[in-house]
Amino acid sequence: MNWYALFVKTGTEEIVREGITSLLNFFIPDNTCEILVPKREIIEYKKGEKSCVVKTLFPSYVLVGTNQILKIYEIIRANRGENIMRFLRTDDCFQRISQEEISLIISLINDRGLIGISDVFVENNRVMIIDGPLVNFKGFVKKINRRKGRAKIGINFLNRKCYIDISIRCLVTYDSKVIKNELLFR
C-alpha cells in the first residue's frame, strides 16, 4: 500500500478523515484504503493545572493509504468539501510518503492513531526509556525537557526533517530489570 498526504484546513483534519471514510464506504464498499490523522498526547500546564491534551502530529495533513490513488482522487474531487485543499504533488503525479517515513509514524502510534506518553528515567547524562512509544527509538530522541515532561524527536516527513515534542513521564526510581533502551547525552 502506498501512502499520500492530503492538505486540508488546519483544525479540520478529523472532520475530513470522517468525511472521506464515509465517502469511500459509500462509493467503494470493499475498499482497503486507510485514512489516518496521527495525534499525540501532550501534557500542558495552564494556570498551575496539569492536563493531558491531544494534538495533531502534522497539522493540516490527512494521510491516505491506498493502491487506488486515482480512483480515490476522483471520488474526493467530485465530492470535495470546503475543508479539503489538495493532494500533494510532485510534477504530474501524487507525492508518495516514503515507506521509511510512514513505517516510523505507524510504529509510534497506537491503534487509536495516538502517540502516548513514554516512561523514562533520567540520571545525570543518561536517559533510560522504560516503556511507551519511544522505547525502540533511541536514535530519534534529540532533547529531554524534564520540567515540561517532553522529549523532542526528529523524524522525516515528506522529505524534510520535523522536530516534534512527545510527552514523557520522568520516573523517580526504577527497576533495572525493566529498562528497554538507554540514551547517553553529552
Side-chain angles (χ1 to χ4, degrees):
M1 179 179 308
N2 296 316
W3 286 84
Y4 304 89
L6 182 61
F7 189 60
V8 301
K9 286 185 182 174
T10 303
T12 65
E13 298 88 358
E14 197 59 38
I15 295 167
V16 169
R17 185 194 66 76
E18 291 170 4
I20 292 173
T21 302
S22 297
L23 272 175
L24 296 179
N25 287 338
F26 179 77
F27 287 105
I28 316 171
D30 60 338
N31 85 68
T32 57
C33 182
E34 288 186 54
I35 312 297
L36 179 64
V37 178
K39 297 179 180 162
R40 60 198 165 123
E41 285 180 311
I42 291 289
I43 297 170
E44 290 186 342
Y45 295 90
K46 288 191 181 176
K47 297 180 183 175
E49 295 289 318
K50 177 178 163 180
S51 64
C52 187
V53 297
V54 175
K55 292 190 173 192
T56 304
L57 190 62
F58 303 113
S60 299
Y61 293 102
V62 174
L63 309 183
V64 179
T66 183
N67 287 325
Q68 305 174 353
I69 189 61
L70 292 175
K71 191 172 191 176
I72 304 292
Y73 171 73
E74 289 300 324
I75 291 170
I76 291 173
R77 190 178 69 140
N79 299 283
R80 187 161 113 178
E82 62 185 34
N83 296 322
I84 298 174
M85 303 296 203
R86 61 185 162 81
F87 270 100
L88 297 186
R89 294 173 170 258
T90 55
D91 299 326
D92 289 335
C93 59
F94 299 103
Q95 181 179 359
R96 267 193 220 160
I97 300 171
S98 76
Q99 195 59 42
E100 183 181 305
E101 291 174 355
I102 198 68
S103 295
L104 176 64
I105 294 166
I106 289 173
S107 62
L108 280 170
I109 62 175
N110 61 21
D111 57 343
R112 297 175 307 167
L114 191 66
I115 300 175
I117 299 171
S118 292
D119 294 329
V120 301
F121 180 76
V122 182
E123 182 179 59
N124 299 328
N125 289 334
R126 292 175 40 187
V127 176
M128 291 157 273
I129 301 172
I130 309 300
D131 199 17
L134 294 179
V135 85
N136 295 318
F137 297 98
K138 77 175 193 178
F140 296 93
V141 177
K142 302 300 178 196
K143 183 179 174 184
I144 298 283
N145 185 330
R146 292 173 72 179
R147 186 180 66 79
K148 288 186 175 181
R150 295 185 183 181
K152 188 171 290 291
I153 63 170
I155 62 173
N156 290 322
F157 180 65
L158 297 172
N159 300 321
R160 69 175 201 261
K161 192 71 149 179
C162 296
Y163 293 95
I164 300 163
D165 285 340
I166 305 295
S167 283
I168 57 171
R169 192 176 9 250
C170 293
L171 305 176
V172 178
T173 61
Y174 73 95
D175 180 0
S176 61
K177 294 175 185 151
V178 298
I179 293 176
K180 296 183 180 171
N181 223 329
E182 185 176 334
L183 303 171
L184 189 60
F185 288 97
R186 295 181 193 248

